[in-house]
Amino acid sequence: MLSTVAVMSVDLGSEWMKVAIVKPGVPMEIALNKESRRKTPVAVCLKENERLFGDNALGMSVKNPKFVYRHLQSLLGKKHDNPQVAIYQKRFPEHKLVKDEIRGTVLFRNSEEMEYSPEELLGMVLNYSRALAQDFAEQPIKDAVITVPAFFNQAERRAVLQAAQMAGVKVLQLINDNTAVALNYGVFRRKDINSTAQNIMFYDMGSGSTTATIVTYQTVKTKESGTQPQLQIRGVGFDRSLGGFEMELRLRDHLAKLFNEQKKTPKDVRENHRAMAKLLKEAQRLKTVLSANADFMAQVEGLMEDIDFKAKVTRVEFEDLCADLFEKVPGPVHEALSSAEMSLDEIEQVILVGGATRVPKVQEVLLKAVGKEELGKNINADEAGAMGAVYQAAALSKAFKVKPFLVREAAVFPIQVEFTRETEEEDGSKSLKHNKRVLFQRMAPYPQRKVITFNRYTDDFAFYINYGDLSFLSEDDLSVFGSFNLTTVQLSGVGSSFQKHIDAESKGIKAHFNMDESGVLLLDRVKLGNTISSLFGGGSSEPSTNVTEPVQDEEEVHPEAGKEQEEQGQKEEAANQEEKLEPQETPPQEEEAAPTQEKTEGEPVDTKADPQVGARFRWLLHQIWDASGLSCCGMLQDLTDRDLEKHEREKTLNSLEAFIFETQDKMYQEEYQAVVSEEEKEEITAKLSEASAWLDEEGYSATTKELREKLQELRKLCKAVFFRVEERKKWPDRLVALDNMLNQSSFFLRGARSIPEDDQIFTDVELKTLEKVINETTTWKNDTVAEQEKRSPTERPVLLSKDIEAKLSLLDREVNYLLNKAKFAKPKAKPKNNSTTTPPKSSSKANSSQTEDKVIPPEETKDQEGNDEVRPGEEPPIKEPAGQNTDSSSPSQLEDETATTGMFFIATTLLCVND
């Protein structure tokens, strides 16, 4: 249904998020939050029974910083001993971080009873973003594309998917934020994209990190939709710690140092969490102002112990504080060029993205590093990611049809398969050989499927999925990366399957891998070779449906172009060739596993749960890949239900308070005093005062049900008085309308009866029926008005607006019936004059008039030809012949005219009635 087909995107940054929507009839648009702002802080406040988001939560961070959780992105998918957790604790000492004994991750201890994981808190934020999108779109929304940093590894991506699942958001895709920006740039410049490759670098410095991305734009030919534009991610460089937030923290510490130097109090301001939160807020403002000014006076009222703080800070001081950060600015550029194997000369333009790129020193250092004449500033640095992601959401949704724009993502971290097998040496001794096979190279395009074949195993065994060569990462990046082992796959039932089919030809054991659109690696299935599989009745060759849900392993992936190289570390070729590689099968004598691209034709469906197939596998998770230890959806739903109940109670309380105040005021207004008796007034006033006192004493602790019952009781008490006032307001307009209808209906009736009998188009019954309705309505109106005048204003009225409307409707129906009949009636034929005698000259004009009257039938007027339809209040168009007297006729003159002219009079009269 059209009411539920809207989709959304969430550009999820470390400090801010932007939400965009697409719905039928509305193009891509940023959803405003409740404060009518285009971006919302990624923050949630959890204090007792209160839960706040966005700007409201950010406001609470100054008053109660320990209950406000922000910058959650850096903790996603991290173990408790990860150095990133220690960095977070140093930045936010007001929070108590503890270890999740089940998952080994980190938890925020909100109180002795309540603990929250970063994924749960992010789930709350995503649920809030969904509410913002639904309010803006005015319809339910479930499907979303969410942006994540390109450097997010498998654990971090799965953490975001878990958070979205807890929030009730169906993730169509996790799109890298740099890819979303590139897509937005390309969509609005598709006319400039041709077969010649254009290389653009996007330099994105946000609040928490910096990423440089090299994108190639080019048109390619596809089987499905012909020649279409395509963007391909060619190189990515990043710095997890370089961002605007670190600059703000240094400014905050500088302000704290200046305050301590003023020695207005013996206490150290750095030990006061609330004061430091105030300084951080001022530091954020200071950074923005210093981007446009040489100096600024920082000031905070009542910073600590009611002491005001004021200090002047210059841009030079700011740049000195962050000098080492500015030295890191070129780093991501060089990494991106290295991973793309390109030089700066091949880059046509460097475009700035992200709020922190507005710092002048950042632009100065970057411009010098890239050696260009200028930096590109031709996209919206804040909203490009959200707009690109929502375009992708519309493309993935079945409800919208958008122009194709092909997107080829790239895996930043290589992934390989490792296994150990016993081998026999030439001297007959046996030894263990450790084998490594690259599954996805660094910067390998995805989505993509791969198959790896194990040829020499005939019994149960295990293999390991690990990250590949990460030597390109710095020591700091490696320290916060997490475990290099993704998972261990334990295969069972292999030996028994071979025993059952000992005569069948074996083509090895095939493990099917899929890196989906979100960059998440999945092991789709493990099965025995083709011959044995067929003995087990392999499944359909139909591809699986593209459901793109985070909890499912099956994804529809189109065959990727390009030729994979067998040697580890060698870069994949650009996939412009429309070549689909067959699975390469290692000969039995070779003691290795060969990774291959998957041949989709004829492959059976997932057989991991098929009891017929002996090779079954299970995951032994070494990273935070599941949400089994989280309180998950139930807890978040309870919090959401509690918020809804709180909102409903506040709404009912406000309605009750407003009703009491407004009704007390109405009792002294003239129009109400005219219809209320003294007894009624005393009773209503007493009840309102009683309810007001109840609110002051007990109402604020009352339940929603009690408040609603109190409001209903008061409304019932005042219903009769309100009804009398509303009726008296409606009488004048309704009575005037009824008088006009009676006058016009009577005028029409007189005109209809003036038509000669030979030309009459209405029956006597029809005219008498109209006359009866007019007379009965007139009598009812006169009697009812007279009766109402005798009644006291404090009594229930007998003249009701609904009755007047019913009389109006009845008259209108009768008149319209006759109007429609006149409109389609045909004139009666006149006998022709066969005399050949030439009339005398003196009567030529009259004869001419009689002859010409016969050739003006109504069906030949313009309105019946669809050219000039008669409208209410207009004269019907009549084509007058030359010499015809065109003077308008009065009702008395109509008696001497033909039936056609009479019908036009009827139409004119009725149109006046309707007007």
Side-chain angles (χ1 to χ4, degrees):
M1 295 176 61
L2 290 180
S3 60
T4 59
V5 296
V7 293
M8 63 179 283
S9 71
V10 183
D11 184 13
L12 188 62
S14 60
E15 185 175 9
W16 301 93
M17 69 177 177
K18 278 75 68 177
V19 180
I21 67 155
V22 172
K23 71 174 184 177
V26 177
M28 302 181 296
E29 189 171 2
I30 294 292
L32 304 182
N33 61 20
K34 296 179 180 179
E35 291 75 30
S36 297
R37 300 182 63 189
R38 300 175 71 85
K39 64 179 182 179
T40 303
V42 179
V44 55
C45 173
L46 300 173
K47 183 184 178 184
E48 298 174 352
N49 293 326
E50 189 173 31
R51 190 168 66 149
L52 302 174
F53 295 96
D55 291 296
N56 291 332
L58 205 59
M60 289 295 294
S61 65
V62 176
K63 301 176 182 179
N64 293 287
K66 67 175 296 185
F67 296 113
V68 180
Y69 305 97
R70 33 197 305 225
H71 290 273
L72 302 169
Q73 196 181 77
S74 61
L75 296 179
L76 296 175
K78 300 292 191 300
K79 294 283 189 177
H80 182 264
D81 57 358
N82 192 296
Q84 193 67 49
V85 177
I87 295 174
Y88 188 94
Q89 184 71 82
K90 181 180 178 181
R91 291 177 172 178
F92 301 98
E94 62 269 19
H95 293 313
K96 186 174 183 180
L97 300 178
V98 297
K99 182 179 180 179
D100 184 337
E101 297 299 336
I102 299 177
R103 303 171 70 231
T105 56
V106 63
L107 294 172
F108 289 94
R109 176 159 292 172
N110 180 266
S111 63
E112 292 300 324
E113 298 80 19
M114 297 303 299
E115 294 175 344
Y116 300 96
S117 70
E119 292 82 3
E120 290 168 337
L121 295 173
L122 181 61
M124 298 179 195
V125 173
L126 291 176
N127 189 52
Y128 178 69
S129 72
R130 179 187 175 193
L132 292 179
Q134 291 182 149
D135 290 344
F136 191 78
E138 299 179 335
Q139 61 180 268
I141 297 180
K142 185 176 181 180
D143 297 348
V145 168
I146 302 175
T147 70
V148 295
F151 54 76
F152 260 25
N153 59 30
Q154 294 293 306
E156 291 167 310
R157 290 175 186 272
R158 289 180 177 269
V160 176
L161 291 175
Q162 292 164 7
Q165 184 181 3
M166 287 185 277
V169 175
K170 178 183 176 183
V171 179
L172 299 175
Q173 180 182 346
L174 292 182
I175 187 171
N176 292 339
D177 47 18
N178 54 354
T179 305
V181 170
L183 178 58
N184 176 254
Y185 179 85
V187 163
F188 291 100
R189 293 164 179 80
R190 60 188 305 133
K191 292 183 179 179
D192 300 330
I193 301 174
N194 50 46
S195 58
T196 303
Q198 306 174 45
N199 300 319
I200 305 293
M201 175 181 286
F202 295 93
Y203 191 88
D204 181 2
M205 182 181 288
S207 175
S209 60
T210 299
T211 305
T213 307
I214 298 175
V215 181
T216 298
Y217 294 96
Q218 191 175 15
T219 56
V220 297
K221 292 183 179 180
T222 64
K223 295 180 180 179
E224 295 80 7
S225 52
T227 301
Q228 298 296 342
Q230 171 186 275
L231 71 84
Q232 181 177 0
I233 307 299
R234 300 294 299 277
V236 176
F238 61 89
D239 189 324
R240 285 178 178 261
S241 61
L242 179 60
F245 186 56
E246 179 62 28
M247 300 177 192
E248 294 164 1
L249 290 172
R250 296 191 180 192
L251 274 175
R252 179 199 66 176
D253 295 341
H254 179 65
L255 294 177
K257 177 175 174 289
L258 293 177
F259 179 80
N260 285 338
E261 289 175 352
Q262 294 176 0
K263 297 183 178 180
K264 294 182 179 181
T265 175
K267 296 182 179 179
D268 188 345
V269 70
R270 291 171 294 187
E271 297 177 359
N272 188 309
H273 297 159
R274 181 178 296 183
M276 292 299 286
K278 292 180 180 179
L279 289 177
L280 177 59
K281 183 178 181 181
E282 181 64 11
Q284 292 169 335
R285 187 170 72 101
L286 187 60
K287 178 175 72 80
T288 302
V289 175
L290 289 178
S291 296
N293 299 274
D295 55 63
F296 184 69
M297 185 66 70
Q299 49 188 348
V300 180
E301 293 184 3
L303 174 60
M304 182 178 173
E305 297 179 350
D306 294 328
I307 300 174
D308 297 338
F309 168 67
K310 183 181 293 187
K312 184 179 180 180
V313 181
T314 66
R315 183 190 291 181
V316 174
E317 290 177 312
F318 169 59
E319 291 176 353
D320 289 341
L321 290 171
C322 303
D324 60 318
L325 297 180
F326 296 135
E327 291 176 359
K328 294 182 178 181
V329 168
V333 174
H334 299 319
E335 286 186 22
L337 292 170
S338 175
S339 63
E341 297 182 357
M342 289 184 179
S343 65
L344 277 170
D345 294 337
E346 298 176 74
I347 306 300
E348 296 184 12
Q349 190 178 16
V350 177
I351 298 177
L352 298 179
V353 187
T357 57
R358 296 189 178 97
V359 175
K361 191 65 175 180
V362 171
Q363 297 184 18
E364 176 188 332
V365 175
L366 179 62
L367 184 61
K368 183 178 179 181
V370 299
K372 303 294 181 183
E373 293 184 1
E374 61 179 358
L375 300 173
K377 302 176 183 179
N378 48 354
I379 63 172
N380 189 319
D382 287 325
E383 299 177 359
M387 299 301 281
V390 82
Y391 186 90
Q392 184 71 353
L396 294 173
S397 171
K398 297 179 181 179
F400 302 96
K401 186 176 182 180
V402 300
K403 293 182 179 179
F405 202 109
L406 307 180
V407 178
R408 289 176 61 81
E409 291 266 27
V412 176
F413 308 114
I415 296 177
Q416 63 189 18
V417 173
E418 300 184 28
F419 57 96
T420 301
R421 189 169 47 76
E422 187 179 70
T423 60
E424 185 173 344
E425 304 294 340
E426 294 181 358
D427 58 2
S429 63
K430 293 184 178 181
S431 62
L432 294 177
K433 181 180 179 181
H434 190 71
N435 298 274
K436 297 181 180 180
R437 294 294 176 266
V438 175
L439 199 59
F440 293 96
Q441 305 279 2
R442 182 187 180 192
M443 303 310 299
Y446 69 83
Q448 187 176 179
R449 293 180 184 269
K450 291 290 184 70
V451 178
I452 190 167
T453 304
F454 301 93
N455 291 287
R456 301 297 297 271
Y457 284 100
T458 58
D459 207 346
D460 299 353
F461 68 100
F463 61 90
Y464 309 91
I465 305 174
N466 301 326
Y467 287 106
D469 181 15
L470 299 178
S471 59
F472 60 91
L473 295 179
S474 66
E475 291 185 7
D476 291 340
D477 286 334
L478 286 172
S479 67
V480 300
F481 189 83
S483 174
F484 297 157
N485 174 241
L486 292 174
T487 188
T488 299
V489 180
Q490 182 71 49
L491 296 178
S492 60
V494 177
S496 59
S497 294
F498 276 106
Q499 289 296 325
K500 292 179 181 177
H501 305 279
I502 193 170
D503 297 331
E505 179 185 358
S506 171
K507 293 189 177 182
I509 300 168
K510 296 181 181 294
H512 296 249
F513 296 90
N514 173 26
M515 184 170 285
D516 66 13
E517 292 88 344
S518 297
V520 176
L521 179 64
L522 306 165
L523 176 57
D524 279 348
R525 58 196 180 275
V526 178
K527 67 182 190 67
L528 302 185
N530 293 341
T531 305
I532 296 181
S533 292
S534 65
L535 295 176
F536 296 140
S540 168
S541 63
E542 291 294 324
S544 59
T545 305
N546 183 13
V547 290
T548 4
E549 290 193 46
V551 294
Q552 298 195 11
D553 292 342
E554 284 292 321
E555 301 288 340
E556 180 184 0
V557 180
H558 299 289
E560 296 293 338
K563 183 178 181 181
E564 180 184 0
Q565 304 297 321
E566 290 291 325
E567 299 178 5
Q568 180 175 351
Q570 189 170 359
K571 186 175 178 295
E572 294 193 355
E573 296 288 342
N576 298 328
Q577 317 161 42
E578 289 296 321
E579 179 184 9
K580 181 165 64 178
L581 302 184
E582 299 291 331
Q584 300 177 6
E585 297 177 355
T586 307
Q589 66 271 20
E590 294 184 15
E591 300 179 0
E592 62 180 5
T596 65
Q597 288 201 7
E598 179 180 356
K599 178 181 177 181
T600 56
E601 289 81 6
E603 290 292 340
V605 296
D606 188 349
T607 58
K608 64 181 182 182
D610 188 346
Q612 292 181 321
V613 179
R616 303 181 183 89
F617 67 84
R618 64 187 179 93
W619 296 81
L620 302 178
L621 304 178
H622 287 266
Q623 278 208 5
I624 311 98
W625 280 31
D626 65 349
S628 58
L630 300 177
S631 52
C632 200
C633 306
M635 183 272 294
L636 291 188
Q637 187 59 48
D638 290 342
L639 290 173
T640 301
D641 292 343
R642 189 180 70 186
D643 288 347
L644 292 174
E645 168 60 25
K646 178 185 175 183
H647 175 74
E648 184 63 25
R649 185 189 179 281
E650 290 176 349
K651 183 179 177 181
T652 306
L653 177 61
N654 291 337
S655 298
L656 178 57
E657 290 177 329
F659 184 85
I660 293 173
F661 176 79
E662 292 172 1
T663 307
Q664 286 175 332
D665 182 62
K666 287 176 180 177
M667 291 298 103
Y668 296 94
Q669 296 177 10
E670 184 178 349
E671 59 183 351
Y672 285 86
Q673 287 182 334
V675 300
V676 64
S677 65
E678 285 300 324
E679 293 79 7
E680 281 181 311
K681 184 177 180 180
E682 290 179 3
E683 182 183 6
I684 292 173
T685 303
K687 287 290 185 180
L688 292 173
S689 299
E690 179 185 330
S692 180
W694 177 81
L695 273 181
D696 292 337
E697 297 173 4
E698 304 176 24
Y700 289 95
S701 61
T703 64
T704 305
K705 181 180 179 182
E706 291 173 331
L707 294 170
R708 191 179 292 117
E709 289 175 350
K710 182 68 69 174
L711 179 59
Q712 291 172 349
E713 178 186 347
L714 293 177
R715 282 177 174 169
K716 183 178 180 181
L717 178 64
C718 302
K719 182 178 180 181
V721 175
F722 291 170
F723 175 75
R724 294 198 291 271
V725 172
E726 289 302 313
E727 284 298 310
R728 296 176 77 87
K729 287 181 180 179
K730 295 177 182 177
W731 286 347
D733 291 342
R734 301 296 194 280
L735 288 174
V736 168
L738 184 59
D739 286 339
N740 289 338
M741 178 61 78
L742 286 170
N743 291 335
Q744 292 165 355
S745 301
S746 299
F747 178 65
F748 164 74
L749 182 61
R750 290 195 300 271
R753 283 179 167 167
S754 68
I755 300 175
E757 183 178 353
D758 292 341
D759 299 324
Q760 183 61 262
I761 58 176
F762 303 123
T763 66
D764 186 55
V765 173
E766 291 170 339
L767 296 178
K768 285 184 177 179
T769 300
L770 177 58
E771 181 180 25
K772 180 182 179 182
V773 172
I774 293 173
N775 292 337
E776 289 179 348
T777 302
T778 303
T779 302
W780 174 86
K781 180 239 179 186
N782 293 334
D783 292 346
T784 308
V785 170
E787 176 65 21
Q788 181 61 47
E789 290 175 350
K790 297 176 183 179
R791 283 187 169 241
S792 169
T794 60
E795 295 181 293
R796 177 179 174 82
V798 294
L799 180 62
L800 303 178
S801 57
K802 67 176 184 179
D803 294 339
I804 301 176
E805 291 169 0
K807 296 297 182 182
L808 280 167
S809 177
L810 179 59
L811 272 173
D812 184 65
R813 185 184 66 187
E814 292 298 328
V815 171
N816 277 325
Y817 169 75
L818 298 179
L819 171 64
N820 289 330
K821 183 175 182 181
K823 183 177 179 181
F824 297 105
K826 293 183 179 181
K828 298 178 181 179
K830 295 286 185 178
K832 293 183 179 180
N833 187 0
N834 297 325
S835 174
T836 58
T837 305
T838 303
K841 293 182 180 180
S842 60
S843 61
S844 60
K845 182 176 181 180
N847 290 337
S848 175
S849 177
Q850 292 176 1
T851 304
E852 288 161 354
D853 283 343
K854 300 175 185 178
V855 294
I856 317 176
E859 57 268 27
E860 294 181 3
T861 59
K862 289 185 179 179
D863 65 302
Q864 293 187 359
E865 295 173 356
N867 299 327
D868 195 7
E869 184 179 355
V870 178
R871 302 279 181 189
E874 298 177 355
E875 292 291 337
I878 305 175
K879 183 178 180 181
E880 297 288 353
Q884 177 91 7
N885 185 0
T886 58
D887 293 341
S888 60
S889 301
S890 64
S892 61
Q893 291 173 323
L894 286 172
E895 298 176 359
D896 298 328
E897 298 207 356
T898 63
T900 303
T901 308
M903 283 195 296
F904 283 127
F905 166 77
I906 294 297
T908 303
T909 306
L910 290 176
L911 289 170
C912 291
V913 170
N914 288 340
D915 192 37

